[in-house]
Amino acid sequence: MNNIDKVINLTKEYIEQISSDARVTSGLIKFSHKQIDNEKVVTMEIYVLKTNFIRYFNTHILDKELFIKKLKEKLPKYFNKNYEVNITDKIVVKRERKNNKPCIIIVTYE
């Protein structure tokens, strides 16, 4: 499995974990293209303010366009009927949860 697939799988896992927490109604996963160690790489930032969960990752992915193309293509395929996935200039994942407010996670890419 290449690094792009690993990061997409990691993104899926974070979406599932964040949206399964009944306290959480929203989260943000942000992909940016930044200069790190003399290379332009894709970085991943995760924000879940309700639980004070914040994480930053260097994905070591150099090809931003290919990563975003694969993310848009693969991410929606991972989720079942409990999720609604909409792709515009961002990816919005909404999870309906029994007896709780829905959780909406926004995935952005710059």
Side-chain angles (χ1 to χ4, degrees), residues 35-85:
Q35 187 83 20
I36 298 177
D37 296 331
N38 297 321
E39 289 186 306
K40 278 284 232 184
V41 296
V42 175
T43 61
M44 178 181 189
E45 302 168 29
I46 303 170
Y47 302 95
V48 184
L49 300 180
K50 182 76 173 178
T51 60
N52 292 320
F53 181 84
I54 299 173
R55 294 289 182 274
Y56 302 99
F57 299 96
N58 175 354
T59 67
H60 301 282
I61 295 170
L62 301 174
D63 191 338
K64 178 183 102 172
E65 286 75 25
L66 179 61
F67 170 71
I68 291 175
K69 178 183 174 201
K70 287 195 171 196
L71 180 72
K72 289 170 149 182
E73 173 186 299
K74 291 184 173 195
L75 196 60
K77 294 178 184 178
Y78 287 127
F79 296 109
N80 65 25
K81 63 182 177 166
N82 295 325
Y83 292 86
E84 177 185 321
V85 181

Side-chain angles (χ1 to χ4, degrees), residues 18 20 26 37 54 65 78-79 83 92 96 99 101:
I18 293 166
S20 67
S26 65
D37 296 331
I54 299 173
E65 286 75 25
Y78 287 127
F79 296 109
Y83 292 86
V92 178
E96 293 294 339
N99 303 322
K101 292 180 180 176

